[in-house]
Amino acid sequence: MALPMRDQARYWGIAAVVFLLLLWFLGDVILPFLVGGAIAYFLDPVADRLERLGLSRTAATAVISLIGVLAVILLVLAIIPTLVNQLTALVNSAPEMTRRMQAFLLEHFPELADSTSTVRQTLANIGAAIQSKGLEMVDGVISSAMGVISIVVFIVVVPVVAFYLLLDWDHMIARIDAMLPRDHAPVVRQLAREIDAVLAGFVRGQVSVCMLLGTFYAVALMLAGLQFGLVVGAIAGAITFIPYIGSLIGGALAIGLALYQFWGEWLHIAAVAGIFAAGQFIEGNILTPKLVGRSVGLHPVWLIFALSAFGTVFGFVGMLVAVPVAAAIGVLTRFAIGQYQSSLLYQGHAGLTVTDTDDTKEVGQG
C-alpha cells in the first residue's frame, strides 16, 4: 500500500531540508566533488560517443582525461600569465586614465578648475581608489581561491573525482534508478529526463557559447589594437552565461578603454563597438539557437534570481548548484501546474461534468 500523500510530502520536504543544510555546513568540503561532478556530467556525452566508436569506458575516460590535462597545461603556460599581466596593468593604469578624463573635463568644463569643487576632488580620488580596490580585489580573489580551493585540489582532487565519476557514471545512474520508489519511478524518470534536457541544453550549450564568444572577443579586440583586449574578452566571455549582464559589462569596459586609448581616432573606437555588436549578433542568431536552444525552460529573470539568491546564501558553492536547482524547480513547477490544470480543483464543475459523461458512455457501451 502506497504512503499517503501527506507522508510523501513530509519525506520529500525532509530530503530538501537535509540537502540545503549539507550545502550550508559542508560547502567548502563538497566543493571539489561538485566541480568534479560537473565536469563528469559535462563530459559524459563525449565518453558515450567514444564508446559507440568502439572504445571501452575506461579507454574513453583515459582519452578524455589526457586531452583535458594537455589543455590545462597549454592554458597555464600560454594564456594565464598574459591574462594576469594585462589585468595587473589595467588596474595600475587607473590613475592615469582618471587624470586624462579629468583633463578632458577641465578643457570642456572650465568651472571644474575650482580646487574646492566637489566634482574635481572626487575625480582626483577615483584613480587611486580604483587602483587600491582593484589590487585588493585581485589579491582577494587569488587568496580566497587558494584558501577555499587549494592548488592541491585543483591539481589532484578535482581531476581524480572527475575521472572516477566519469568512469562510473552509467553505473551510478543505474543504481540511483534502482532505488527510486516503485510507485513513482515512471514519473521521477520523466522529470529527471526533462531536468537533464534543460541542463544539457543550458549548461553544456552555454559553456560552449561562453568559450567561443570569449575567444572571439579576445582575438578581435587584440587585432583591433585594444591594449587590454585579452582581459576584456575573458571577462565578457566568462559572464556571458548571465543574461544581458555579460554583454553590458564587456561592452561598457571595452568602449571605455577604447575611448581612453584611441581618443580622437573614431575609426578605432567604432571598430571596438562594432566587435561587440557583431558578437551580440553572432550570439543571439547563431551560437545560442544552435548550442543552447530556444526552449530550455530557464527564463533569464529566473536564472538571475537563482544565481543571486544561491550565491548570497551559499557563496561560490551556491552559484555552482544554482543552475541545476533552478532547472529542477522549473521542471517541477511546470509538472505541478500540469497536474493542477488536469485536476477538478482547476476544472471545477466543467471537469466534473466531463468525467461523469465519460463514465456514463463507458457504462452504456458495456
Side-chain angles (χ1 to χ4, degrees):
M1 179 178 178
L3 286 175
M5 185 62 66
R6 181 177 299 177
D7 292 338
Q8 295 182 34
R10 182 185 299 115
Y11 288 131
W12 287 113
I14 292 174
V17 171
V18 169
F19 169 75
L20 293 176
L21 288 176
L22 288 175
L23 203 64
W24 177 271
F25 289 108
L26 301 178
D28 295 344
V29 176
I30 65 176
L31 182 56
F33 299 94
L34 288 176
V35 175
I39 294 174
Y41 173 78
F42 184 79
L43 295 175
D44 178 62
V46 180
D48 292 339
R49 180 165 298 182
L50 291 176
E51 282 188 283
R52 289 194 293 269
L53 293 176
L55 295 179
S56 66
R57 186 71 180 191
T58 302
T61 304
V63 169
I64 294 173
S65 301
L66 180 61
I67 295 175
V69 170
L70 293 177
V72 170
I73 292 175
L74 180 63
L75 184 67
V76 170
L77 294 179
I79 299 177
I80 290 182
T82 304
L83 189 63
V84 172
N85 291 335
Q86 284 200 11
L87 181 60
T88 303
L90 175 61
V91 172
N92 288 331
S93 64
E96 176 61 25
M97 292 182 184
T98 306
R99 281 192 292 270
R100 291 187 60 174
M101 182 177 67
Q102 183 177 351
F104 172 79
L105 291 175
L106 289 175
E107 179 182 352
H108 292 81
F109 304 96
E111 60 272 14
L112 295 178
D114 184 5
S115 60
T116 61
S117 171
T118 303
V119 176
R120 182 176 179 181
Q121 293 176 358
T122 302
L123 291 174
N125 295 328
I126 286 178
I130 292 177
Q131 183 182 27
S132 174
K133 296 299 181 182
L135 290 175
E136 289 179 7
M137 181 187 67
V138 174
D139 293 339
V141 168
I142 295 176
S143 62
S144 63
M146 293 307 160
V148 177
I149 315 171
S150 66
I151 192 66
V152 176
V153 171
F154 270 115
I155 294 179
V156 179
V157 178
V158 170
V160 169
V161 171
F163 177 86
Y164 281 107
L165 289 179
L166 182 60
L167 183 64
D168 297 328
W169 191 266
D170 294 337
H171 297 292
M172 290 188 301
I173 297 300
R175 290 292 301 274
I176 293 173
D177 182 79
M179 296 175 63
L180 294 177
R182 296 298 92 187
D183 289 344
H184 306 289
V187 176
V188 173
R189 292 191 190 105
Q190 178 61 32
L191 293 176
R193 283 192 292 267
E194 293 181 15
I195 293 172
D196 179 68
V198 172
L199 286 178
F202 183 84
V203 177
R204 295 184 182 123
Q206 198 63 60
V207 167
S208 301
V209 170
C210 290
M211 294 177 62
L212 292 173
L213 207 59
T215 302
F216 167 75
Y217 284 143
V219 173
L221 291 174
M222 287 190 294
L223 291 177
L226 191 66
Q227 187 175 0
F228 305 107
L230 181 60
V231 174
V232 176
I235 293 174
I239 59 179
T240 295
F241 74 97
I242 306 177
Y244 313 120
I245 303 298
S247 58
L248 290 176
I249 293 179
L253 181 60
I255 294 174
L257 291 173
L259 289 172
Y260 163 74
Q261 182 179 344
F262 303 120
W263 182 258
E265 302 178 23
W266 304 112
L267 186 60
H268 284 83
I269 298 173
V272 172
I275 288 171
F276 270 86
Q280 288 307 295
F281 176 83
I282 293 172
E283 178 192 1
N285 295 276
I286 300 175
L287 295 181
T288 298
K290 295 292 185 182
L291 299 177
V292 180
R294 296 289 189 182
S295 58
V296 296
L298 285 179
H299 193 278
V301 175
W302 170 234
L303 179 62
I304 293 174
F305 172 78
L307 289 169
S308 301
F310 276 82
T312 301
V313 177
F314 301 108
F316 183 69
V317 176
M319 295 189 69
L320 284 180
V321 303
V323 173
V325 172
I329 293 176
V331 170
L332 293 176
T333 300
R334 289 191 292 272
F335 173 76
I337 292 174
Q339 294 293 107
Y340 163 68
Q341 290 180 334
S342 63
S343 68
L344 293 178
L345 178 62
Y346 172 76
Q347 297 182 6
H349 291 292
L352 185 61
T353 302
V354 171
T355 302
D356 292 342
T357 302
D358 293 340
D359 292 341
T360 302
K361 289 181 179 179
E362 292 178 1
V363 172
Q365 291 174 354

